[in-house]
């Protein structure tokens, strides 16, 4: 008897059997068959679960840092994987963290990390991982903190035979082995890049639940970073001189690879000598090196231009030289440069420090606006914004930054600018409407008490921001909706 038949027996009004009543034997038989069917169903489900579990890929355990100490060839095998776990930058952090751990002696006194074989190998492993990443500062800066990268590059200087405490500005780069010169350049490029990066605003991370150990660790890292930045800023002038000197080098340089680092480990007695390790690394042509250095020098000069405007000319020269070298080198450049950012720098330098060659060329909206702000010709400024509304070329961020500058000047007591602030804000708002962006709060605030002059100017902006004959139906609808 099946399970379904047994369920049917339980229905009211069904008695079955010859006598109308089930015997004990028949009931027992039904019970056994029901149990068999249930067991069979359970066994099938168990088999399905087993099949699903066995077919699921097993995640291999993460390789621990100490395993790389035990097996010399493991690092290269690990780095060749498609998605190594831990990642290369995580390995750098782990190796340097272990190599820099202080010791606590029997008297419970903290001692500096010992210079033993284990720690030297760990530092060498960190350098090898960086060599695998081709010493790409963009990659390293993105994932490593300032203290970790500072330690890594100081280790590179050390293995490249640069004595600790050496003033790089006093060293003749042309007389050094190629890998030593490149190590000095890499460190000083990182130094000025870090100074520039520290001047950018940083978005604050929303703190989670307070944890004392984590907060202490974050505070310690912040203090170490600030101390390193202080030293880098004090040495900024020297770093700039080192990089300016590098632009005079006419020879190709080499940077350490995994192989050359192994060679260095085998020849500890060689100091500043031309060895196989100093010319067998990753080759960097002089033009590639100059391209990178020019870009980094341009960035530091541009940053310093806020306090010394004459340096904008230096920045302009370096950025335009970078563009020349990029067009010459093409796709052979090993290290990428953000060409959009470079174009932005060049455009800004053209406004802040126009060259005599630009005199014969028509002025750009940027240079005209900058000139109006400097001279106080605000009516001309409004005219430029009106012209740009019809054929938009100014980015919305630039428009907003000009308006912010005008608001700041108005708040400092220049009441005549209140009218200009409204006019520029009106131009921006109509431009936003035509490009499908919402109208900002500032416009609504300035239009809380509309006057005849304000309404007339707003209508003028609307009429000059659309060519009715050639405008699309979508543009006409946007303008009509705004005017309602």
């Amino acid at each position: 008897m099946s399970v379904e038949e047994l369920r049917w027996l339980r229905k009211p009004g069904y008695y079955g059997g010859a006598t109308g009543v089930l015997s004990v034997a028949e009931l027992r038989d039904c019970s056994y068959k029901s149990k068999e069917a249930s067991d069979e169903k359970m066994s099938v489900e168990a088999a399905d679960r087993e099949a699903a579990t066995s077919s699921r890929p097993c995640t291999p355990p993460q390789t621990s840092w100490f395993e790389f100490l035990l097996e010399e060839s493991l690092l290269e095998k690990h780095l060749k994987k498609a998605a190594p776990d831990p990642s290369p930058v995580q390995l750098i952090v782990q190796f340097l963290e272990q190599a820099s751990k202080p010791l606590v002696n029997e008297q419970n006194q903290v001692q500096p990390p010992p210079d033993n074989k284990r720690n030297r190998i760990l530092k060498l492993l960190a350098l090898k991982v960086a060599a695998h990443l081709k010493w790409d500062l963009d990659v390293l800066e993105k994932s490593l903190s300032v203290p970790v990268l500072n330690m890594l590059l100081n280790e590179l200087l050390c293995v490249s035979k640069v004595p600790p405490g050496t003033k790089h500005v006093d060293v003749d780069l042309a007389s050094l082995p190629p890998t030593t010169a490149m190590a000095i350049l890499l460190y000083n490029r990182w130094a000025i890049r870090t100074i520039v990066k520290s001047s950018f605003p940083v978005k604050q991370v929303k703190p989670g639940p307070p944890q004392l150990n984590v907060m202490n660790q974050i505070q310690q890292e912040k203090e170490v970073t600030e101390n390193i930045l202080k030293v880098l800023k004090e040495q900024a002038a020297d770093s700039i001189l080192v990089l300016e000197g590098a632009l005079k080098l006419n020879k190709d340089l080499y940077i350490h690879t995994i192989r050359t680092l192994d060679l260095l480990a085998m020849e500890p007695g060689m100091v500043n000598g031309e060895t196989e390790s100093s010319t067998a690394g990753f080759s960097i042509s002089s033009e590639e090196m100059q391209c990178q250095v020019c870009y980094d020098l341009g960035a530091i000069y541009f940053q310093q231009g806020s306090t010394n405007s004459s340096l904008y000319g230096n920045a302009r020269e370096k950025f335009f030289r970078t563009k020349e070298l990029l067009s010459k080198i093409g796709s052979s450049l090993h290290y990428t440069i953000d060409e959009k950012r470079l174009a932005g720098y060049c455009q800004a330098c053209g406004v802040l420090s126009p060259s005599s060659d630009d005199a014969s060329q028509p002025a750009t909206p940027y240079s005209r606006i900058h000139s109006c702000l400097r001279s106080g010709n605000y009516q001309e400024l409004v005219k430029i914004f009106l012209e740009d509304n019809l054929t938009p070329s100014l980015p919305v961020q630039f428009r907003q930054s000009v308006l912010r500058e005008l608001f700041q000047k108005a708040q400092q007591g220049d009441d005549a600018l209140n009218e200009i602030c409204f006019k520029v804000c009106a131009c921006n708002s109509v431009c936003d409407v035509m490009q499908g962006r919402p109208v900002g709060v500032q416009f609504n605030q300035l239009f809380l008490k509309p006057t005849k002059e304000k309404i007339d100017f707003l209508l003028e902006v609307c009429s000059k921001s659309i060519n009715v004959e050639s405008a699309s139906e979508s543009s006409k609808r946007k303008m009509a909706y705004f005017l309602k």
Side-chain angles (χ1 to χ4, degrees):
M1 183 177 288
S2 69
V3 176
E4 292 300 322
E5 289 173 321
L6 189 61
R7 289 199 187 103
W8 182 257
L9 290 176
R10 296 176 60 190
K11 288 185 179 180
Y14 184 86
Y15 299 96
T19 60
V21 180
L22 282 174
S23 67
V24 174
E26 286 174 320
L27 284 171
R28 188 182 292 115
D29 183 52
C30 288
S31 176
Y32 288 155
K33 288 183 177 179
S34 173
K35 187 175 184 302
E36 286 173 5
S38 177
D39 289 346
E40 182 181 349
K41 185 178 178 183
M42 287 178 66
S43 64
V44 170
E45 289 175 354
D48 288 342
R49 281 197 302 271
E50 180 65 28
T53 305
S54 60
S55 63
R56 190 181 300 139
C58 182
T59 305
Q62 189 184 66
T63 309
S64 297
W65 62 269
F66 62 83
E67 294 180 55
F68 298 97
L69 287 173
L70 303 175
E71 186 182 340
E72 191 176 340
S73 60
L74 181 61
L75 182 63
E76 290 191 57
K77 292 177 186 175
H78 181 80
L79 294 175
K80 286 177 182 176
K81 292 178 183 177
D85 186 23
S87 68
V89 286
Q90 287 173 332
L91 278 178
I92 292 174
V93 174
Q94 291 177 17
F95 291 148
L96 293 181
E97 189 179 68
Q98 294 299 325
S100 59
K101 271 189 175 179
L103 291 179
V104 179
N105 61 17
E106 294 176 357
Q107 287 77 35
N108 208 27
Q109 295 172 324
V110 178
Q111 302 290 320
D115 183 21
N116 55 27
K117 184 178 180 182
R118 168 191 175 274
N119 287 349
R120 284 195 296 271
I121 293 174
L122 283 168
K123 291 173 185 177
L124 185 64
L125 288 171
L127 293 172
K128 285 183 177 182
V129 178
H132 168 75
L133 297 172
K134 297 183 179 179
W135 301 98
D136 190 334
L137 286 178
D138 287 329
V139 174
L140 296 172
E141 288 169 341
K142 193 175 181 179
S143 307
L144 299 178
S145 65
V146 170
V148 171
L149 201 40
N150 181 58
M151 184 177 178
L152 179 73
L153 293 177
N154 272 295
E155 284 303 319
L156 175 64
L157 291 172
C158 186
V159 300
S160 301
K161 315 305 181 190
V162 180
T166 301
K167 288 194 73 174
H168 298 169
V169 72
D170 296 333
V171 175
D172 179 15
L173 293 176
S175 65
L176 296 177
T179 49
T180 305
M182 194 64 194
I184 290 175
L185 289 186
L186 194 67
Y187 177 85
N188 286 280
R189 279 186 58 217
W190 168 75
I192 64 171
R193 285 164 66 107
T194 304
I195 294 169
V196 171
K197 205 172 181 181
S198 70
S199 67
F200 297 156
V202 179
K203 185 178 179 181
Q204 295 296 322
V205 180
K206 190 176 179 181
Q211 297 179 10
L212 189 59
N213 290 341
V214 175
M215 289 174 68
N216 286 341
Q217 188 177 350
I218 292 171
Q219 183 60 31
Q220 286 174 5
E221 183 171 312
K222 185 180 177 183
E223 289 173 2
V224 173
T225 301
E226 287 173 353
N227 289 335
I228 293 170
L229 271 171
K230 183 182 176 184
V231 173
L232 295 180
K233 288 175 180 178
E234 289 171 356
Q235 299 173 350
D238 286 353
S239 290
I240 290 170
L241 287 174
V242 169
L243 296 180
E244 286 284 7
L247 296 178
K248 299 171 185 174
L249 292 176
N250 292 317
K251 65 176 183 178
D252 293 349
L253 298 179
Y254 293 85
I255 195 157
H256 282 300
T257 60
I258 292 177
R259 177 171 174 263
T260 60
L261 289 168
D262 279 331
L263 288 170
L264 272 177
M266 291 187 290
E267 45 186 47
M270 299 296 294
V271 178
N272 276 355
E274 287 285 352
T275 65
E276 186 184 357
S277 67
S278 65
T279 53
F282 187 68
S283 177
I284 308 292
S285 72
S286 61
E287 288 178 337
E288 288 173 326
M289 178 270 293
Q290 288 175 19
C291 186
Q292 290 292 318
V293 169
C294 279
Y295 181 78
D296 293 334
L297 281 171
I300 190 72
Y301 285 140
F302 190 88
Q303 188 244 350
Q304 293 177 342
S306 58
T307 54
N308 182 358
S309 58
S310 66
L311 290 173
Y312 285 127
N314 292 10
R316 176 194 174 89
E317 178 192 336
K318 293 296 182 283
F319 285 132
F320 278 84
R321 177 60 179 154
T322 304
K323 283 183 73 174
E324 289 175 16
L325 289 166
L326 268 177
S327 61
K328 189 175 181 181
I329 297 166
S331 59
S332 66
L333 187 67
H334 295 297
Y335 302 109
T336 56
I337 283 178
D338 187 340
E339 294 193 42
K340 285 186 178 179
R341 182 176 285 270
L342 174 62
Y345 271 132
C346 289
Q347 195 168 52
C349 288
V351 172
L352 297 168
S353 178
S355 70
S356 55
D357 297 336
D358 295 335
S360 59
Q361 298 177 0
T364 65
Y366 294 97
S367 59
R368 289 170 64 198
I369 289 171
H370 187 71
S371 175
C372 290
L373 289 171
R374 280 190 302 183
S375 63
N377 188 356
Y378 298 119
Q379 295 302 330
E380 180 67 19
L381 178 72
V382 173
K383 183 182 174 183
I384 297 167
F385 271 75
L386 271 172
E387 291 172 358
D388 192 73
N389 270 26
L390 190 60
T391 53
S393 64
L394 297 172
V396 61
Q397 294 86 354
F398 179 76
R399 283 172 163 267
Q400 290 169 351
S401 70
V402 172
L403 183 58
R404 278 195 299 271
E405 187 173 336
L406 291 171
F407 271 125
Q408 286 171 0
K409 288 183 178 180
Q411 288 169 359
Q412 289 168 3
D414 193 344
D415 294 334
L417 279 177
N418 289 329
E419 180 189 351
I420 301 299
C421 286
F422 170 76
K423 288 184 175 182
V424 172
C425 187
C427 291
N428 285 354
S429 298
V430 174
C431 183
D432 286 339
V433 168
M434 297 305 292
Q435 296 187 26
R437 293 187 295 269
V439 176
V441 178
Q442 285 175 328
F443 175 76
N444 292 323
Q445 289 174 338
L446 292 172
F447 212 64
L448 278 174
K449 296 179 180 179
T451 61
K452 183 180 182 299
E453 290 77 14
K454 285 185 176 181
I455 294 171
D456 287 345
F457 181 76
L458 182 61
L459 292 173
E460 181 188 349
V461 175
C462 291
S463 65
K464 290 184 176 180
S465 298
I466 185 170
N467 188 334
V468 179
E469 293 179 0
S470 60
S472 65
E473 288 299 320
S474 172
S475 297
K476 290 176 184 178
R477 279 196 300 271
K478 287 175 183 175
M479 183 62 78
Y481 183 77
F482 172 67
L483 289 172
K484 283 182 182 180

